[in-house]
Amino acid sequence: MNSRKKIPLRKCVVTGEMKPKKELIRVVRSKEGEVSIDPTGKKNGRGAYLTLDKEVILTAKKKNSLANQLQVQIDDQIFDELLELAEKETR
């Protein structure tokens, strides 16, 4: 028996790396098309995972990775919030 708990892995939409879910931040699009940051990973809707790293977030913004993944226009405010979260992580 494997006593170690299985760590859920998710793929970062920018880097394509598989990482433990805890290391990534989830951005979710609701049925209504609203985009929000989902730190709990439990919100309903289509989710996309991003590595909490300034460079990755800026790349996602530049290449529209999130917009393509969630098939919706992403507000700059979402990227600002993500960058703030990334700043807190690195401290």
Side-chain angles (χ1 to χ4, degrees):
M1 283 227 142
N2 194 346
S3 62
R4 284 205 349 233
K5 233 175 101 183
K6 199 165 169 240
I7 298 167
L9 293 175
R10 296 291 180 268
K11 190 185 220 169
C12 172
V13 296
V14 176
T15 64
E17 286 177 274
M18 294 298 280
K19 291 189 170 177
K21 200 173 158 183
K22 284 192 177 80
E23 289 176 29
L24 300 167
I25 188 81
R26 184 170 184 250
V27 180
V28 70
R29 183 199 75 207
S30 68
K31 276 197 185 94
E32 293 74 43
E34 277 179 49
V35 175
S36 58
I37 295 167
D38 180 14
T40 61
K42 303 242 188 307
K43 282 186 185 174
N44 284 335
R46 177 161 178 104
Y49 289 86
L50 268 182
T51 305
L52 251 190
D53 176 80
K54 196 176 172 189
E55 293 305 308
V56 172
I57 294 163
L58 292 171
T59 304
K61 187 174 182 177
K62 199 168 78 188
K63 291 186 173 173
N64 276 332
S65 311
L66 270 180
N68 296 339
Q69 191 72 30
L70 298 175
Q71 296 160 347
V72 68
Q73 199 55 46
I74 310 284
D75 216 21
D76 280 351
Q77 186 190 340
I78 294 286
F79 287 107
D80 295 342
E81 282 180 52
L82 285 167
L83 288 166
E84 264 176 54
L85 284 168
E87 285 290 307
K88 285 181 193 155
E89 278 293 304
T90 52
R91 269 186 225 142

